[in-house]
Amino acid sequence: MKFQNKNLKNTNIIITGSNGQLGKFFYNYLKKNNNILIVNNNENNNKKELNYSKINFKIIKNFDPDYFFHFGSPTDKK
């Protein structure tokens, strides 16, 4: 699958669900030319990766996203 969009360069993008199949694909494709904040269920101390419980409106406003891609969904892995 080849995704082409030459307009998505030098933009701020938030991607939720970056550990899933679609989220990971979009993150890997867009990370070269964009500033990306990823939000998922992992507990990391990375400034570019936040847990769902740590995200809030102030963080989103300061990041000033041009695009917001939501690929997150609740799953039960038990």
Side-chain angles (χ1 to χ4, degrees):
M1 173 192 235
K2 189 168 184 177
F3 177 76
Q4 294 181 348
N5 190 333
K6 304 204 186 309
N7 295 329
L8 289 177
K9 290 187 178 178
N10 301 318
T11 59
N12 291 338
I13 301 171
I14 295 177
I15 298 178
T16 63
S18 61
N19 289 340
Q21 186 175 9
L22 283 174
K24 192 177 291 185
F25 169 79
F26 274 86
Y27 171 72
N28 287 329
Y29 179 78
L30 297 170
K31 69 182 178 181
K32 289 186 257 178
N33 300 314
N34 299 285
N35 184 26
I36 298 179
L37 174 67
I38 55 178
V39 183
N40 55 41
N41 279 332
N42 289 347
E43 287 287 339
N44 293 322
N45 293 325
N46 184 343
K47 291 182 181 179
K48 300 271 182 175
E49 184 173 350
L50 294 175
N51 185 283
Y52 286 114
S53 63
K54 305 231 185 238
I55 195 79
N56 59 45
F57 185 72
K58 183 179 179 183
I59 292 170
I60 293 171
K61 187 176 177 183
N62 287 338
F63 187 72
D64 191 27
D66 298 301
Y67 297 96
F68 187 104
F69 294 112
H70 176 61
F71 298 110
S73 67
T75 59
D76 185 7
K77 295 183 178 179
K78 294 180 182 180

